């Protein structure tokens, strides 16, 4: 059979997790199994694609750094540039999958081939582990001609979500990922999309010698909280700060002067929302303090966008 070749890039996470008991879904070791073990658990994949597996790293995604994103982006681009490869699947821990999805969505040239991220909420050793079905669906999506031109996709619990807007919304549920306001891009079982592929901006080229990204911190701002942490972040060398603020990015009065001082010192300050959904619009406070509005980006996505902007400024 003439099956498409899919490059599988494995990075660890719960999908590769192992526990001592099949009933244990929390006390397990993430990133314990390799790519070959994940594939061996899903023989049906061999009817959909020829999979070429590569272990890029094995990590619990809470420990991912910007150096890991750069390594992964280079591995994914190399696979995409290989004429024999029809699409790329990346297995990843769910805890920071949304950050990796945004980073790859902005940096990979995947206009003509799909890139699909997936993971699992239960370790591979669990009763009713969700990883095998997620992996199968991700390979089906990466092998499907309609998946190209949609940027990086996240395949989870039978949904296809846009990597640019996906967010983890639950600590343990199998449908842990929400699509953002745009709703899901499509479904699997079989693969189908709700709208045609869309025009996308050109990807941001990564400098060959970049080993890390500029430091950008996220501060979650609670009612009545002083701005000391902003001052500390600036002192510690943050080049940008994302404020996860109440409501429509509402900046509490005691934060006005510290934000203005940070901006005057060359630090980019972005107003985002802690609401989880919705747009943060430009406001006259931005003229007063020098901040900018995150628009539709979550704090995590706004952080990646700002890290990449700062990297581009540096080049
Ligand atoms: C991780 O993010 O690597 C562990 C948790 C998970 O994959 O769900």
């Amino acid at each position: 059979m003439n099956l498409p070749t899919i490059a599988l890039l494995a990075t660890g996470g719960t999908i590769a997790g192992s526990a001592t008991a099949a009933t244990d879904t929390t006390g397990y070791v993430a990133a314990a199994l390799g790519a070959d073990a994940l594939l061996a658990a899903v023989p049906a994949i061999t009817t959909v694609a020829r999979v070429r597996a590569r272990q890029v790293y094995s990590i619990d995604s809470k420990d991912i750094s910007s150096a890991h994103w750069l390594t992964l982006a280079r591995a994914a681009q190399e696979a995409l540039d290989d004429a024999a490869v029809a699409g790329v699947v990346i297995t990843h821990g769910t805890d920071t999958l949304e950050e990796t999805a945004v980073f790859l969505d902005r940096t990979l040239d995947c206009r003509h081939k799909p890139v699909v991220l997936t993971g699992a909420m239960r370790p591979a050793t669990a009763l009713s582990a969700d990883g095998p079905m997620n992996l199968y669906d991700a390979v089906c999506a990466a092998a499907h001609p309609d998946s190209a031109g949609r940027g990086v996709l996240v395949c989870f619990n039978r949904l296809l979500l846009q990597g640019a807007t996906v967010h983890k919304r639950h600590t343990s549920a199998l449908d842990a990922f929400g699509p953002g306001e745009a709703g899901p891009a499509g479904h699997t079982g079989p693969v189908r999309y709700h709208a045609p592929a869309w025009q996308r901006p050109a990807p941001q080229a990564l400098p060959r010698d970049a080993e890390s990204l500029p430091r950008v911190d996220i501060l979650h701002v609670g009612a009545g909280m002083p701005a000391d942490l902003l001052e500390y972040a600036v002192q510690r060398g943050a080049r940008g700060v994302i404020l996860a603020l109440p409501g429509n990015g509402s900046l509490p009065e005691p934060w006005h002067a510290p934000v203005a001082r940070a901006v005057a010192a060359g630090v980019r300050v972005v107003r985002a929302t802690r609401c989880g959904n919705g747009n943060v619009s430009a406001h006259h406070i931005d003229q007063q303090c020098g901040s900018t509005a995150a628009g539709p980006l979550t704090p995590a996505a706004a952080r990646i966008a700002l890290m990449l902007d700062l990297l581009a400024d540096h080049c």
Side-chain angles (χ1 to χ4, degrees):
M1 227 188 321
N2 199 12
L3 296 175
T5 298
I6 299 299
L8 170 66
L9 304 178
T11 70
T14 292
I15 191 168
S18 175
T20 46
T23 49
D24 191 349
T25 57
T26 53
Y28 59 88
V29 179
L33 306 175
D36 291 345
L38 305 190
L39 283 172
V42 199
I45 284 178
T46 57
T47 66
V48 179
R50 252 184 273 279
V51 177
R52 243 165 50 183
R54 172 173 171 198
Q55 194 74 42
V56 182
Y57 38 77
S58 290
I59 199 168
D60 185 320
S61 77
K62 69 180 168 52
D63 297 322
I64 277 180
S65 66
S66 60
H68 291 103
W69 293 329
L70 290 162
T71 300
L72 183 58
R74 288 172 183 136
Q77 194 62 60
E78 194 185 309
L80 287 164
D81 292 344
D82 183 337
V85 169
V88 175
V89 169
I90 301 171
T91 55
H92 198 287
T94 65
D95 283 354
T96 63
L97 185 145
E98 65 194 84
E99 278 122 303
T100 298
V102 172
F103 181 76
L104 296 179
D105 189 68
R106 286 173 176 257
T107 55
L108 290 184
D109 185 353
C110 55
R111 281 171 283 190
H112 307 296
K113 294 179 186 177
V115 175
V116 186
L117 275 157
T118 194
M121 294 304 290
R122 293 179 179 159
T125 47
L127 286 177
S128 302
D130 53 331
M133 180 61 104
N134 285 345
L135 180 58
Y136 174 78
D137 281 348
V139 172
C140 290
H144 200 285
D146 288 354
S147 299
R150 296 173 186 277
V152 169
L153 294 163
V154 173
C155 181
F156 222 88
N157 200 39
R158 310 233 91 177
L159 288 180
L160 289 161
L161 311 166
Q162 289 172 38
T165 56
V166 74
H167 68 277
K168 190 174 183 183
R169 61 183 174 188
H170 201 283
T171 55
S172 56
L174 300 189
D175 65 341
F177 285 89
E181 287 189 297
H187 287 79
T188 57
V191 173
R192 58 201 189 283
Y193 289 95
H194 305 312
W198 54 92
Q199 195 67 36
R200 292 173 41 75
Q204 177 172 338
L206 293 169
R208 268 178 207 283
D209 58 347
E211 288 173 4
S212 63
L213 299 181
R215 174 172 166 174
V216 175
D217 293 349
I218 300 176
L219 300 181
H220 186 103
V221 179
M225 209 175 114
D228 306 14
L229 287 178
L230 173 60
E231 284 158 357
Y232 186 68
V234 173
Q235 271 172 33
R236 297 298 297 173
R239 307 255 323 274
V241 177
I242 310 297
L243 300 177
L245 292 161
N248 188 354
S250 306
L251 192 66
E253 208 282 324
W255 286 69
H256 292 189
V259 167
R261 276 198 298 275
V263 173
V267 176
R268 304 259 294 268
V269 179
V270 177
R271 291 181 306 106
T273 179
R274 59 185 206 187
C275 286
N277 275 303
N279 191 72
V280 171
S281 28
H283 188 272
H284 63 76
I285 201 69
D286 295 326
Q287 270 107 55
Q288 198 180 313
C289 300
S291 50
T292 54
L297 301 180
T298 62
R303 176 170 173 258
I304 304 294
L306 184 50
M307 287 168 124
L308 285 168
D309 277 1
L310 289 165
L311 183 73
D313 289 352
H314 199 62
C315 295

